[in-house]
Amino acid sequence: MEEFTKKKRFNLQEFENTFSNNRQKIKPTENLDTNYNIHTGRPFSQKYFDILEKRMTLPAWEAKEHLKKLLDENQVIILQGETGSGKTTQVPQFLVDFGFTQNKKGIACTQPRRVAAMSVARRVAEEMDVKLGEEVGYSIRFEDCFTNKTFLKYLTDGMLLREAITDPLLNK
Ligand SMILES: Nc1ncnc2c1ncn2[C@@H]1O[C@H](COP(=O)(O)OP(=O)(O)O)[C@@H](O)[C@H]1O
Ligand SMILES: [Mg+2]
């Protein structure tokens, strides 16, 4: 029980100083070693690297390694960061990098508005160099854009609740 309720507060700003000196040590993604996209088996496009360069300047990247450690040690974490720091677009991709989508598991990221879920999914698919609706998709009322191979899904709170009806423990 104690395990379950253990929480840690994490402030992105607070760790910025610690990690800004370590930036060069942070591996952008496991993917980069091969130049092949492990999700599609295809070589990365030039656009992928162009976007990656910009992504890596986002504050979320400075917290990547520390986030990994916190996730290893805690069941629940609260991550706080400024608007535009990369919480929505970067952190779910970090989770993919860390292996959270292995064994057919999926990552759900809720957004307050339908449009936000849709547009952020489009952006993340672009960042990951995959086709929207395949590895990365979205689910909003009256519109599903995912398949059974989708492992990162952006959705509204309402749609997550709907999923909880068929999968109450959110096993997936
Ligand atoms: N559609 C987009 N096109 C270009 N850049 C984008 C797009 N969406 C987000 N970004 C960039 O990604 C950064 C991180 O956005 P986001 O992950 O939504 O931040 P947060 O969720 O922390 O507010 C933004 O600062 C912005 O520069
Ligand atoms: Mg956000």
Side-chain angles (χ1 to χ4, degrees):
M1 196 57 188
E2 202 188 314
E3 272 284 284
F4 195 73
T5 52
K6 209 161 65 172
K7 285 188 200 162
K8 203 167 241 171
R9 220 173 147 74
F10 177 58
N11 187 325
L12 210 51
Q13 199 63 50
E14 202 176 298
F15 285 95
E16 212 163 87
N17 300 332
T18 324
F19 282 92
S20 57
N21 304 327
N22 286 347
R23 179 166 272 168
Q24 62 281 13
K25 285 191 215 151
I26 301 172
K27 222 201 261 182
T29 153
E30 305 300 327
N31 266 343
L32 258 192
D33 293 342
T34 60
N35 283 342
Y36 275 89
N37 191 332
I38 52 164
H39 306 303
T40 61
R42 292 190 295 268
F44 287 116
S45 64
Q46 183 54 46
K47 192 171 165 198
Y48 170 85
F49 292 104
D50 294 344
I51 301 180
L52 180 62
E53 212 175 291
K54 294 198 198 88
R55 288 172 56 202
M56 287 182 72
T57 65
L58 293 172
W61 279 79
E62 313 211 348
K64 186 175 178 181
E65 292 303 306
H66 190 74
L67 180 64
K68 186 177 185 179
K69 189 166 170 290
L70 289 177
L71 288 164
D72 283 344
E73 294 167 357
N74 301 279
Q75 286 196 326
V76 178
I77 70 167
I78 297 172
L79 176 78
Q80 176 190 313
E82 277 176 38
T83 303
S85 59
K87 301 180 299 296
T88 305
T89 55
Q90 307 308 302
V91 172
Q93 293 186 72
F94 294 166
L95 300 183
V96 173
D97 274 355
F98 298 157
F100 278 79
T101 53
Q102 281 161 11
N103 306 320
K104 294 198 168 24
K105 297 281 184 199
I107 293 168
C109 181
T110 60
Q111 291 295 298
R113 302 269 176 271
R114 290 162 46 95
V115 189
M118 204 173 2
S119 62
V120 83
R122 180 172 301 123
R123 169 67 182 177
V124 171
E126 212 176 10
E127 291 190 0
M128 290 179 72
D129 220 5
V130 301
K131 193 162 169 274
L132 179 64
E134 294 192 354
E135 291 81 1
V136 178
Y138 62 87
S139 172
I140 57 183
R141 198 138 93 101
F142 307 126
E143 198 182 338
D144 277 347
C145 181
F146 61 91
T147 62
N148 55 7
K149 73 171 181 181
T150 301
F151 53 70
L152 172 52
K153 198 197 278 179
Y154 288 89
L155 71 186
T156 51
D157 308 7
M159 290 309 280
L160 186 64
L161 282 175
R162 213 168 267 250
E163 290 210 9
I165 294 172
T166 48
D167 181 9
L169 297 176
L170 292 174
N171 279 313
K172 183 163 189 277

